[in-house]
Amino acid sequence: IFMLGVFLIMAAYHFGMFAFRSNDKTNLYFALALIFGGIFSSTVNEIILVKLIPSINWEIVIKTNYISNYLRLLFFILFIYHSFKTEFKSLIVKILTVAISGMLIFILVTPAGIFTKTLIVFLAMTAFSILYLIFVQIKALLRKKPGALFSFLGILILLAAVTNDILKEYQIINTISLTTVG
C-alpha cells in the first residue's frame, strides 16, 4: 500500500507539472509510467488489488498485472526518449511500441493460461529496452546532457532490480520482487 501511495503521489506531481508545461511530454510519460507502476505494484507480492476488491476475478488480476507491466515499460521508454531525443533512435521507439501494442492485444484476447506463457517475451523486451536505455544514457553522459548522470544511475538501479526479478521468476535465487522499488 505504501508503494502504491508513493506511485500515486509522484504521478500526481508529474501530471501537475505537465499541466503547467504541456509542451514538455516527459512529465506526462513519467506520470503514466508511475500510474501503471502503481497498478502493477497492486498485483504483486501481497496483491493489494485482491484485498481491495475481494470478489475480483483472478483472470482480471493476472491481465491487470501483465498489461500494467507492458504499459509501464512503454511509458518509461517514451519518457527516456523524450528526455534524450538526440541520443535515441526513433525507429527503436516505433518497433517497441508496435511490439508492446501487439502483446497488449494478445493479452486482452487470450485467457491467462495462454498469455502467461509469453512471460519470456516480456523479459526479452525489458532486457533489450534496459540495455538500449543504458546505451542512450552513456551517449547522453558523453555529450554532457543535463540530467544524464542521475538518469543513468536510475537506469542502473532499475537494471539491478529487473535482474533480481528475472532470477527470482526462474527460481535461480530466492528473494522478493524489487522492480517496483527500483
Side-chain angles (χ1 to χ4, degrees), residues 77 88-98 128-129 132:
I77 291 165
F88 215 113
K89 295 214 179 290
S90 62
L91 178 63
I92 299 289
V93 175
K94 290 174 185 168
I95 290 170
L96 288 170
T97 301
V98 168
F128 171 79
S129 298
Y132 186 73

Side-chain angles (χ1 to χ4, degrees), residues 69-98:
N69 219 359
Y70 274 103
L71 287 173
R72 75 182 176 148
L73 175 63
L74 175 63
F75 289 121
F76 188 71
I77 291 165
L78 290 170
F79 163 68
I80 297 296
Y81 170 69
H82 283 277
S83 297
F84 302 102
K85 272 189 176 180
T86 56
E87 289 75 30
F88 215 113
K89 295 214 179 290
S90 62
L91 178 63
I92 299 289
V93 175
K94 290 174 185 168
I95 290 170
L96 288 170
T97 301
V98 168

